[in-house]
Structure formats: structure tokens, C-alpha cells
Amino acid sequence: MKLSLFKALGIIDCCIFKRIDEQHFETVYAESEWIDLLLPSARDNKRFTIPTDSPFLDDFLMQAEEFWEYADYGKIDSGVWNEEVENNELKLNAYASMDKGDCYIVIHNVIEQFQQRQKTLQLARELLLSNDKIVAQQEYVHQRLDDMLNQSSDLKSIQQPINEVIEKTDIGVAILSPNLQPISQNPALYSLFDAHLTRSETQPYKIILQLFEKQYPEFERVISTGSRWSGELFWLKPPGTGKWIKLSIYPVKADFQQITHWVFLVSDISQVKHLLQNNEKLTYYDALTDIPNRQYFWMQLEQSVSNALPFYVLYLDIKNFKRINEIHGHSRGDQIIKELVERITPHISEGDMFARIGGGEFAIIRQKTVTEQQCIDLGHKLIDAAVQPFYLPNGTHCEIGLNIGAASFPRDADDAETLMKFADLAVFNAKKASKSSVQFYSQELKEASQRIIELENALQSAITNHEFELFLQPMLDLTSGTILKAEALLRWNRLDGERIGPDEFIPIAEQTGLIVPIGKWVISRACEMISTLNHRGYSCKLSVNLSPRQISDRHLLEFIRGSIQNSHILPNQLELELTEGVLVDNYDKVQYLLTEVRKLGVSVSIDDFGTGYSSLSYLKKLPIDHIKIDRSFVQDLVSDENDKAIILAIIAMAHSLKLNVIAEGVETELQRNFLQLNHCNLAQGYLFSRPLPFAQFCDYLSASPTQKLITPSAPFPE
């Protein structure tokens, strides 16, 4: 063989030996000087014998003998091993092969490849550590500013402490008004864009807004919906200097979710980007998952548009990924991301692109001609892969969901930016559903999104405009027929006369955080109703529903205590109602809240029992008084033996734990008789009464022959 051939094959830094017999090898090619260290006689004598001075090579040659004896073709690989000879370090890799009956050993010196690989890994580590540090710094500054801005609506009164925070940090900070006008910009922000930029010249916040709007299709949606956002921007300042910056946007909101301020946090990540750009793989591939990154995705998307052939874009968003990072830590979150990618990748067709475009966001370009139904089928496969439990090293597990938005080229849009804007809108709409779903962009979706935004804006003023009303649905003791309590159900009557059902506005309130002030109004109003009932001589507890978002409100316990005191009612006249899902998802917070409210004397009921959650450990660990059998089991209990069995099991289990059982959705006498016969404690449903306005509920109480009368209650004890 000629040296030129080895050069052409790219194996110049290797040695090749042909087997003569079990102990002797003939040198075919050995020009590299390092072979003198490993096999001193190989170049001078054109052969070497075994055993050699390398135990690892000897072991591999023994494996090679077995391979040559039984195999007709192919090769086996030794893997990389270290050799230290005369203070020289070698990184070697060998393989044994066969060709036309002849046996060969090829030994490579892979020190350069190893060093390059280590350099690549180090760059990846530096990238991840640098990004983690920036994220942590930005989150800390945001939390401090958020707490300060929520203290007072009068910015002047807190200007001094705000200045102390933002003037001393090396992170660029801009505080803007709701209409994106500057209130405060710190020196670090000016320095980041130009050390010589004066405050009379172009202001940094304007540059940021222009870059954000130009480079990201989410701009319009983020600003109009008041959403948090984080991403990277590139600023090219004439005549050619440029910087990469990491931008995090945080809206600061009042109780009713009106935006009072915008906080923009900006960090220079040019050095990190420089590390990326020095390595092509790191430039275009995500360091964590090894799949294409946002930059590569956008290049491919632009190319697909220029090809002018129809295709689909799928936008994937992990449900509640931020909460997973908060609960389990970012390292566990990274593990989940990597495993999710491993689950999804087998479903990606050849020729399609699967990329990570954000922390918990991915995108797929379906290059081949496919139908909308095929995209839906793929989406459901990905959702099924994502919802399987993720097991953590400590033995626990967690579950995630996946929302998917999709848009079609050229049906929905004929340019990359608009196409992604519509896919983003679709996934944003998919997030409104409680379960993972696939949502395609459509004109109906656009109109529905506009409807959601319009209702969200209307919700912000619904309390001050007195548009909410509490209806009460009685719960009866099945033995005595006495009305022991009632569930408070929220109704929304808009000033224009439109009545919005809770199925429509509650998810919006939950998604936007408006459920927190609305929930406080419900608690306060329920306490007022209890006080009125007391003064009219009626004994009737009221039960109010708590949402997952309310559980996370650190002021909730204090508010409940204050509402009870201000209304001069007894704590045991109020009941809190939670769903199973709230218990499972927020166990630690729920445990603390329920323990404290039980100390007050407030009772606790679990709603929708038996619907979708198998863990029952919380029934004995948490302070619970009642469980409510979901109406789906009650509906067909007369004709469905399975529903009968489930109800009997729930009643038996609850009573063994000293818990009362309430059945909801009771509509027939047969249902009532079955429940009464099997010792269900209470029931509510249309058989007894629909939800009633307060005045009609009072009339219902007065007409009930078994209703207990009481003397007005004593004030809340100090």
C-alpha cells in the first residue's frame, strides 16, 4: 500500500500489521514516531511479536485470535485505552479485521481526537454553567423587584430601594410602564449596549423592543397577553460590531392581573456565543440533547419556505415545566428533557427536523407531503410518549404533559415568521385545556383567542363592577332531610347582559392568575352570606372551591382568617373544597394550608373523588373531613354495576377512615334510595334543588320543614 492512499483515507496517524501466526505480526505500515514507544521493533525489524510490553494490547490480541478463528468477515474494536511510555501519554484505539482470508491489526493514535472531544465537552460545560449563572442572577433580581413593586402602587415611595437594587447589579435592568414607556434604566444597561451611549441618545429599552419585535414572532402575543418570556437577541451596531444578549421579560401585575410594570433583565452572553461559534456542532446543536437548536431550526424553516413545497410546523411545549424545575431542581429538569427527547426521536420520520427551540419548547418541521390527520396522529403519539412517568434517581417519579400547536405552509402563512407566530398562537391556545392536546391554527382559533383576550380584560374589572354573583346549591342529610350545608357556585353576569358560564371563564381566570382575587371575593362573599343566614336564624355551612392557583397564594390563610373575623362567624361554618388533582400536584402546600385552616376550625372536603388519581395516601395523611363522589359515578349507578361497586367501595373506605361521604349530581329517587340504603351521608343535585341566588336559597330554607333554626352566632373568638 502507498502512503498517499493512507493520507487519502484519513488514517495517516495509524499503524497496520498483518498476522503471520499466533505470535508474529508483519508491519504493513508504521510511519508514525509514536509506534516506537509502543512497539520498538515494529519499524526497524518490520515485525513484532507477542507478548508485548502493553498488557491492554495483549488482551485485545487474544480477543482478535478468537475473532479470526470463528469469523469470516467484519471487525472488532478495542475501544480507547491509555499508554504511558517514557513519560509520553498515548491515547490508542485498535481494531482487528479480515480481508480475503488475511488478518490485520490497525492501531490508531487518537490523542488529537480525544483532546478535541474534551475541548468540546468543556465548551459545553462552560456554556451550561454560564447560562445557569445568568438565569439564577436574573431570577434573583426579578424576585426582589417583583416584591418591591407589589408593595406599593406609588412608585415614588419605593424608588430608593429599587435604585439600590438595580444600580448595584451588573445585570441590565429596565423598568417600563404598562404601555412600555421607560421608568428606570440602570447604568449596566447603558454599558451593555455602548459604554459611551448617553441618556440623550437612543435609549436601550427602545433597542431591546425593536430587536424583540423583529427577531421573534412571539412579540405580539407576549405583550398583548402579559406573559413572561426569555430568549436571546442579536444586536448588530453599525459599522459591524455585534453582541448577543439574553433577555428575560417579567410582567408585574396587581391583584386583578392588571400590568403595573414591565421588568426587562438583560445580560451579555457574547462570550458564550463565541464559544459556540468556535465549534460547528455546538453552534447548531443543543448542548443538552444533541438535537438541532433554535438557530439551526430557523435556517431549515427559511429553507423549507424557499422550497415552496407544502409542509407543517409543530410547536411542542412541556406543560408546567417551570414548576418541575422549581420542585425537583434544574438538574432533574435537564434529565427529564433528555429522556423526553429519547422518547420522541423514534417517532420522527426521516427527512423531518426535530429541534429544541427553548427551555421546555421543541419544534418539528414535517418536510414530506403529509395530511393534517397524519400530523394529529403524530401529535398523539408524542403526547402518549410524554405522559409516561419519569423516574428520578431518588426513587420518586413525576409526570408531565405536552401541548402541541401546528400551522401549515402555505395554507396558513407563506413566510417563516408568520407561520411560527400562528403555531405559537395554536400552542398557546392548547395550554388552555387541562389535558395535553394538539391544536391547529385556524381562523376560528384566532377568533377564539381574541374572545379569550376580550374576556380576560373584562374579568379584570368584573369584581369592581359587581358583575359576580354566588349561587348556592343545598346539600341534604339523606337520613333526616335537613339542609346541612350548601356549595357556593360562582356566576358572571356582564353589564351588557351576557351571562358567561363558569366552564368558559374559570379556565381563563386560572390561566391568567385572576382566579386569586376572584377566589378571595368568593371567600369574602360566602362569609357575608353565612353572617346573614345566622342573623336570620338558619344553621347552614357554606362550602367554597379552591383552585390550584389559590393554593400557591401565600396570603390565602391570612385572608381566610381575616374574612371569618370581619364577618363575625364561627370558623366551623365555612368549608374549603379542593379537587384530587390539587392535592396530588401541590401536596406540600396543601398539607400546610389544610393543617392551619383545621386549627382555625374550618372543615375540608375533597371534590370529584375517584376521577383519574390512584394515590389514596393523602386521605390518611391530610386533615380531611368529607369526600364527594363525582357525579359521573352517580349518573348511571342504577344501571351500571361497575358504578355501584365503585360507590360502595368509596363509602366503605371513607367510613373506615372516619370521613363523611357526599354524593353530587343526584337527580332521581332511585339514586337517592340507593345512596341512603348504603349509608351515604349527604347528597346534592337537581332532585333537591338547582343552584339558587341567595334570596331564593333563603326562601328554600324557610320552606324546608326539617331545617334547623339557630340563634345568631357569636363573634369569631379572639
Side-chain angles (χ1 to χ4, degrees), residues 112 146 584 596:
E112 290 187 6
D146 191 60
V584 175
E596 294 302 312

PDB file of all heavy atoms in Angstrom, residues 112 146 584 596:
ATOM      1  N   GLU A 112      -5.348  13.466  19.355  1.00  0.00           N
ATOM      2  CA  GLU A 112      -5.903  14.730  18.887  1.00  0.00           C
ATOM      3  C   GLU A 112      -7.428  14.709  18.926  1.00  0.00           C
ATOM      4  O   GLU A 112      -8.060  15.683  19.338  1.00  0.00           O
ATOM      5  CB  GLU A 112      -5.404  15.019  17.468  1.00  0.00           C
ATOM      6  CG  GLU A 112      -3.924  15.353  17.395  1.00  0.00           C
ATOM      7  CD  GLU A 112      -3.519  15.795  16.004  1.00  0.00           C
ATOM      8  OE1 GLU A 112      -4.417  15.953  15.146  1.00  0.00           O
ATOM      9  OE2 GLU A 112      -2.315  15.985  15.774  1.00  0.00           O
ATOM     10  N   ASP A 146     -39.909  42.299  41.943  1.00  0.00           N
ATOM     11  CA  ASP A 146     -41.329  41.936  41.974  1.00  0.00           C
ATOM     12  C   ASP A 146     -41.919  42.187  43.361  1.00  0.00           C
ATOM     13  O   ASP A 146     -43.016  42.727  43.501  1.00  0.00           O
ATOM     14  CB  ASP A 146     -41.500  40.468  41.577  1.00  0.00           C
ATOM     15  CG  ASP A 146     -42.954  40.104  41.341  1.00  0.00           C
ATOM     16  OD1 ASP A 146     -43.576  40.719  40.460  1.00  0.00           O
ATOM     17  OD2 ASP A 146     -43.472  39.219  42.042  1.00  0.00           O
ATOM     18  N   VAL A 584     -52.694  16.208  44.745  1.00  0.00           N
ATOM     19  CA  VAL A 584     -51.562  15.475  44.207  1.00  0.00           C
ATOM     20  C   VAL A 584     -50.486  16.426  43.690  1.00  0.00           C
ATOM     21  O   VAL A 584     -49.296  16.221  43.902  1.00  0.00           O
ATOM     22  CB  VAL A 584     -52.034  14.517  43.091  1.00  0.00           C
ATOM     23  CG1 VAL A 584     -50.842  13.833  42.429  1.00  0.00           C
ATOM     24  CG2 VAL A 584     -52.991  13.478  43.652  1.00  0.00           C
ATOM     25  N   GLU A 596     -53.331  24.261  58.875  1.00  0.00           N
ATOM     26  CA  GLU A 596     -53.569  25.549  59.530  1.00  0.00           C
ATOM     27  C   GLU A 596     -55.050  25.910  59.568  1.00  0.00           C
ATOM     28  O   GLU A 596     -55.541  26.430  60.578  1.00  0.00           O
ATOM     29  CB  GLU A 596     -52.775  26.648  58.815  1.00  0.00           C
ATOM     30  CG  GLU A 596     -51.264  26.502  58.939  1.00  0.00           C
ATOM     31  CD  GLU A 596     -50.806  26.481  60.390  1.00  0.00           C
ATOM     32  OE1 GLU A 596     -51.256  27.360  61.159  1.00  0.00           O
ATOM     33  OE2 GLU A 596     -50.014  25.589  60.747  1.00  0.00           O
TER      34      GLU A 596
END
